[in-house]
Amino acid sequence: MEDKVVSTAAEAVADIPDGASVAVAGFGISHRFPSTLLEALQDQGARDLTVYCNGLGSQGAPTAQLLAENEQISMLVASFSSRPGPPTLAEEQILAGTLEFEVVPQGILVERMRAGGAGIPAFYTEVGAGTKVAEGKEVRHFGGRPHILEHGITTDFAILRGYRADRFGNVQFRGGSRNFNDSFAKAARTAIIEVEEILEVGELKPEEIHLPGVFIARVVRTTTTVDVSSLPQRSARSADSHREYGGKPALSRAEIGRRAAALLEDRSIINLGAGLPNQVVNYLNGRDVVLHAENGMLNYGGFADIERADPDFHDAGGNFIDVLPGVSFFDSVTSFEIARGKRLDAVILGAYQVGSNGDLANWMHPGRPGGGIGGAMDLAVGAKSVIVTMEHVDSKGRPKLVQECDYPITASECTSVVVTDLALLRRSEHGRFVLEEVAAGFTAEEILELTAMEVDVAEDLGVMQEAW
């Protein structure tokens, strides 16, 4: 039986040549990147790399940004090239034309990897149809709806991170940190994994093996220690912050979340987008509502304080969370099977704009290179109901409810309900939005003045604060 353990990370990545394609695991801006291997690859210095990943992670941390900072990447294929905050060196390279970028929906990225590893050259999907990611791709209709052709991906190398492995390369993951590792390993000709503990063959029980050793070529011990409390987190405005319109207070961010939470039915399975939609978590205590996360988790709870944060227990937005009895963990392929397989009752997402026909735009902001799709395209297509939470106007006072989106859309005609800091609107069976509720102290006329789409007004107009 082959012993796949190598003594150092430098030895593990020594043969990655210039021009190689490398899949890099890691989730969000900071969680469970293969930091030891990334530092070794940075020192090794291979250039002109094609890198596949969810995103490069946070600058200034031991993430895949190390490779961009060292100008080793010529092509990036990812779900995120930009995130809120100051531009990264990778974004500057994209703008300068020294780094080519292809944006791929998160669920389609792992599915393309899964397909490539399984010997499937291509497949059709509804995800991305009618959006910028469909440009130049073959389109066929199934069930009367357009689907685009996506090609399987194989790579020269994958660098991964696990919890434990034995000398044969059998791997165990922990919590929500499995995510991309399975599909990336299967797509790679040579998969290299770093783990916290290396065991003798037989010390891992068969049911503890999440990824068989046949997919792993090299195993190395993790030596880069990351303090949980030092991990960069998404910046978030205070839940109590709110805008004023005409000198009158609108709903706070927390209250938007509270109103959206009240829309959810008991015994439903829900996915929450990052940012404002996460406010919904605070109003689900005691509710029979199951939360799903794209990184591979079902049935998690509220946010965990940093003092009791576990690096493997986090949601798709990077927030540390508690887990509930009956929680399950799985890889991102399974997670998006749940999403695209119509097993989510609702998804709650933020948005830059919502069009009068239900079009959703939330992944690309003018002025930033590329964009950040994440799992939004998969979720918007797969969920039975799409609820959007957002402020009624943007930071410059421009309406976000528009007749037609001029931002690139995430999915067409998908939005069911919109909850803003001023109003609740529901899309009727006739395709038009109906203003059903307004924030206390505001009139329908005031809301319509701040709305750039044609809407109907319900005869029995309600007050948002009276609905929770």
Side-chain angles (χ1 to χ4, degrees), residues 423-443:
L424 184 148
L425 303 95
R426 192 184 307 270
R427 195 155 143 256
S428 73
E429 60 184 14
H430 304 295
R432 287 174 62 94
F433 278 98
V434 178
L435 176 62
E436 293 188 351
E437 297 174 9
V438 298
F442 290 86
T443 65

Side-chain angles (χ1 to χ4, degrees), residues 125-441:
T125 177
E126 189 177 354
V127 176
T131 75
K132 287 179 70 67
V133 303
E135 293 177 359
K137 296 177 181 177
E138 180 184 332
V139 178
R140 286 186 61 183
H141 285 71
F142 298 90
R145 297 189 62 84
H147 291 66
I148 61 176
L149 183 68
E150 294 283 8
H151 291 84
I153 296 171
T154 57
T155 65
D156 299 318
F157 293 87
I159 53 177
L160 316 168
R161 173 125 182 205
Y163 172 44
R164 301 194 298 173
D166 64 22
R167 290 185 173 274
F168 186 54
N170 295 312
V171 181
Q172 179 184 21
F173 299 103
R174 184 174 181 274
S177 293
R178 188 172 175 182
N179 45 70
F180 296 93
N181 286 281
D182 291 57
S183 58
F184 284 12
K186 294 171 183 178
R189 176 175 55 83
T190 302
I192 310 167
I193 192 163
E194 62 176 84
V195 294
E196 297 174 32
E197 186 177 358
I198 297 175
L199 305 175
E200 296 301 320
V201 175
E203 291 187 301
L204 275 177
K205 298 177 182 178
E207 61 270 20
E208 292 176 329
I209 297 171
H210 298 132
L211 184 65
V214 68
F215 295 110
I216 298 295
R218 300 167 196 164
V219 178
V220 68
R221 180 77 176 266
T222 294
T223 58
T224 302
T225 302
V226 179
D227 180 7
V228 171
S229 63
S230 71
L231 288 174
Q233 298 295 302
R234 291 177 182 267
S235 58
R237 287 165 48 193
S238 167
D240 296 326
S241 67
H242 62 81
R243 291 180 173 177
E244 291 191 353
Y245 298 84
K248 296 185 291 187
L251 268 65
S252 68
R253 293 172 66 83
E255 289 172 326
I256 296 172
R258 186 176 183 181
R259 181 64 192 93
L263 295 171
L264 303 177
E265 298 181 2
D266 288 341
R267 297 182 297 280
S268 57
I269 302 174
I270 308 299
N271 181 286
L272 302 177
L276 181 52
N278 278 153
Q279 294 295 330
V280 170
V281 165
N282 299 316
Y283 302 97
L284 297 180
N285 288 339
R287 297 281 307 277
D288 186 11
V289 173
V290 174
L291 292 177
H292 163 273
E294 297 100 292
N295 54 310
M297 187 164 26
L298 199 62
N299 203 29
Y300 65 92
F303 302 133
D305 297 331
I306 194 65
E307 292 77 16
R308 55 189 176 84
D310 187 308
D312 294 316
F313 296 167
H314 61 88
D315 65 13
N319 305 293
F320 293 114
I321 47 86
D322 291 321
V323 295
L324 303 176
V327 67
S328 57
F329 302 106
F330 32 85
D331 74 331
S332 288
V333 170
T334 302
S335 188
F336 283 102
E337 287 172 345
I338 292 171
R340 294 193 305 269
K342 308 295 184 183
R343 289 173 170 83
L344 292 178
D345 295 293
V347 58
I348 303 180
L349 299 170
Y352 295 131
Q353 290 180 332
V354 174
S356 61
N357 65 344
D359 284 358
L360 169 67
N362 75 347
W363 72 273
M364 187 177 183
H365 195 283
R368 299 297 290 266
I373 292 178
M377 285 190 179
D378 302 84
L379 294 165
V381 166
K384 298 174 185 175
S385 174
V386 175
I387 301 169
V388 170
T389 59
M390 64 182 188
E391 288 164 324
H392 209 85
V393 301
D394 66 16
S395 59
K396 296 182 179 180
R398 297 171 298 195
K400 298 175 76 171
L401 291 164
V402 296
Q403 191 64 21
E404 184 175 343
C405 292
D406 49 30
Y407 283 45
I409 68 168
T410 306
S412 60
E413 301 180 14
C414 66
T415 308
S416 309
V417 181
V418 178
V419 181
T420 77
D421 54 349
L422 290 178
L424 184 148
L425 303 95
R426 192 184 307 270
R427 195 155 143 256
S428 73
E429 60 184 14
H430 304 295
R432 287 174 62 94
F433 278 98
V434 178
L435 176 62
E436 293 188 351
E437 297 174 9
V438 298

